[in-house]
Amino acid sequence: MSQITVRVDGVTYTDEVEPRTLLVHYLREQLGKVGTVVGCDTSNCGACTVHLDGAAVKSCTVLAVQADGSEVTTIEGLAAEDGTLHPVQKAFHEMHGLQCGFCTPGMIMASVDLLKENPHPSESEIREGIEGNLCRCTGYQNIVRAVRQAAGEMSAPETTGAQA
Amino acid sequence: MIPAAFAYARPTTVEEALQAIADGGEDVKVMAGGQSLIPVMRLRMAAPETVVDLVSVSEMRGVRDDGDALVVGAMTTHHDVLVDPLIAEHAPLLVQATETVADRQVRARGTFGGALAHADPAGDLAAVALALDAEMVIAGSGGRRTVPAADFFVDYLTTCLEEGELLVEVRIPKLRGEWGVRYEKFNRVAQAWSIVAVAAAVRRENGHIAEARIGLTNMGSTPLRAQATEAALAGADASAAAIAAAAERAAEGTSPTSDLNAQADYREHLARVLTRRAVSAAAGL
């Protein structure tokens, strides 16, 4: 067993893990963070995507011991503390960027990562940016619309409060 | 699926890493970004006794300018390759190929050196290393040695790395003169492996092709150079007809496999078509 200290969604945890424990299993089974799901278990589908030190990764393809000393953000840590949804979460809701919803946590975490690097992606850049996330329901159309809407909202100038 | 149990070492220097490999027992696996190794371990196709994780060996990350060559640390991630200004300036072919590797999550963890040492013939970066005449710097208990890319790749998933050795950095000679480059990849779906791909670098001089270097992905158990096409292009007109004629020879000397994605003869066809496209684009046509 190895001892790890990880900050997950703003809370610091110190735990014993086996080196072979995958990050996604640590999140779900030791921390109860079941918002992050296991989809394909073969590093393809991206449903388990979380942010590790700010970058989107497939948490089924990272060992929990590798997160020692790191900061992890899951879908559960994305909304504001008062429950206000992140603009990408809100856009997926409003544009109906999901049907069964299983791919949604990973899809949103990948989209947030994409928009951080490219705040104004074209439609093809969005499709390439989320190529590591598979959705078997929607045909991606509303997912792409949702990411576009979120990009617009996140880059829009603040309308409240005067700027001198 | 969960990997079989293993002992885990996380060295922070190359020296510590070599020691950890030496101390790791009979069956040691070196983990770079883990994006190939962890899936294989999950499937229990590999069940090493010890995993030596290089993730904290910071001296193996990053790109530096060494005069005539760039030196890319083996642990430099694909993402870091894509945003590096030196690579953009001196090795744009590597940027083009790296953009096609897997997906952004995998590129955030996966590394240049890890992909080369894994030596999957369907991997994109080995053909680029071969086309750019890269050199592999290998550390072992007896010091360091440098191996040309052409001698590094030995067979399917096999390199010249001996037990106890580590690929630490890759030297990529800068292209001097008027070079154009193109990576042409054919696959069926997003994030899939190359069925065939072609890495081309072409130097033009006075309307002629002075030199062409062409690396082939997945046309044999190792990456290959399209030698017959390269020879036919040396001194040829930079014209569509001359390039098309030379590209017809792209599959000579190759031995592609047949699998669920493609039969060998279809791969040979793809090599010819993709070589024509890659060389044409690299020559500015």
Side-chain angles (χ1 to χ4, degrees), chain B residues 156-268:
Chain B
Y156 181 73
L157 302 181
T158 306
T159 67
C160 73
L161 285 166
E162 301 282 351
E163 235 169 83
E165 285 190 324
L166 202 55
L167 173 63
V168 287
E169 58 194 27
V170 182
R171 297 179 60 85
I172 303 176
K174 292 179 185 172
L175 297 175
R176 302 282 187 199
E178 194 190 331
W179 287 86
V181 299
R182 175 77 109 197
Y183 192 69
E184 281 284 335
K185 172 167 174 169
F186 187 84
N187 60 7
R188 290 186 303 113
V189 294
Q191 60 163 299
W193 296 91
S194 287
I195 295 175
V196 173
V198 175
V202 173
R203 182 163 62 84
R204 286 183 60 165
E205 232 173 51
N206 306 322
H208 285 74
I209 293 173
E211 184 184 358
R213 301 196 202 154
I214 302 161
L216 304 174
T217 297
N218 217 7
M219 286 300 288
S221 59
T222 65
L224 297 168
R225 291 281 283 263
Q227 289 173 343
T229 299
E230 289 181 350
L233 286 170
D237 280 346
S239 68
I243 291 170
E248 278 303 303
R249 306 187 61 186
E252 287 181 20
T254 66
S255 51
T257 186
S258 291
D259 58 27
L260 287 174
N261 286 313
Q263 293 291 112
D265 61 343
Y266 180 58
R267 283 202 161 87
E268 290 173 3

Side-chain angles (χ1 to χ4, degrees), chain B:
Chain B
M1 291 168 286
I2 299 168
F6 54 84
Y8 178 74
R10 189 160 151 183
T12 57
T13 65
V14 169
E15 205 171 310
E16 281 179 21
L18 292 171
Q19 192 60 50
I21 295 167
D23 295 343
E26 286 290 302
D27 187 9
V28 182
K29 268 285 179 193
V30 175
M31 186 156 81
Q35 302 302 286
S36 296
L37 182 58
I38 293 175
V40 164
M41 287 170 58
R42 257 188 338 230
L43 293 167
R44 306 269 175 125
M45 289 162 68
E49 181 182 345
T50 302
V51 170
V52 176
D53 184 356
L54 303 178
V55 73
S56 298
V57 184
S58 52
E59 65 186 288
M60 288 175 67
R61 281 184 199 275
V63 181
R64 67 174 199 272
D65 193 325
D66 192 31
D68 289 340
L70 293 184
V71 182
V72 183
M75 284 297 292
T76 307
T77 64
H78 302 309
H79 172 268
D80 289 349
V81 165
L82 290 178
V83 299
D84 188 87
L86 285 170
I87 294 180
E89 184 180 350
H90 298 293
L93 184 57
L94 179 56
V95 176
Q96 286 188 19
T98 302
E99 279 173 343
T100 74
V101 171
D103 53 60
R104 64 186 292 112
Q105 291 99 313
V106 171
R107 290 193 296 267
R109 299 286 296 174
T111 66
F112 182 46
L116 296 176
H118 185 50
D120 189 319
D124 296 291
L125 305 178
V128 173
L130 197 61
L132 295 179
D133 289 335
E135 294 179 320
M136 313 297 174
V137 180
I138 296 167
S141 55
R144 296 197 172 195
R145 64 188 178 113
T146 301
V147 176
D151 298 333
F152 181 76
F153 302 103
V154 174
D155 201 349
Y156 181 73
L157 302 181
T158 306
T159 67
C160 73
L161 285 166
E162 301 282 351
E163 235 169 83
E165 285 190 324
L166 202 55
L167 173 63
V168 287
E169 58 194 27
V170 182
R171 297 179 60 85
I172 303 176
K174 292 179 185 172
L175 297 175
R176 302 282 187 199
E178 194 190 331
W179 287 86
V181 299
R182 175 77 109 197
Y183 192 69
E184 281 284 335
K185 172 167 174 169
F186 187 84
N187 60 7
R188 290 186 303 113
V189 294
Q191 60 163 299
W193 296 91
S194 287
I195 295 175
V196 173
V198 175
V202 173
R203 182 163 62 84
R204 286 183 60 165
E205 232 173 51
N206 306 322
H208 285 74
I209 293 173
E211 184 184 358
R213 301 196 202 154
I214 302 161
L216 304 174
T217 297
N218 217 7
M219 286 300 288
S221 59
T222 65
L224 297 168
R225 291 281 283 263
Q227 289 173 343
T229 299
E230 289 181 350
L233 286 170
D237 280 346
S239 68
I243 291 170
E248 278 303 303
R249 306 187 61 186
E252 287 181 20
T254 66
S255 51
T257 186
S258 291
D259 58 27
L260 287 174
N261 286 313
Q263 293 291 112
D265 61 343
Y266 180 58
R267 283 202 161 87
E268 290 173 3
H269 165 76
L270 284 175
R272 291 188 284 266
V273 171
L274 297 175
T275 296
R276 175 170 51 76
R277 290 180 188 166
V279 172
S280 299
L285 297 187

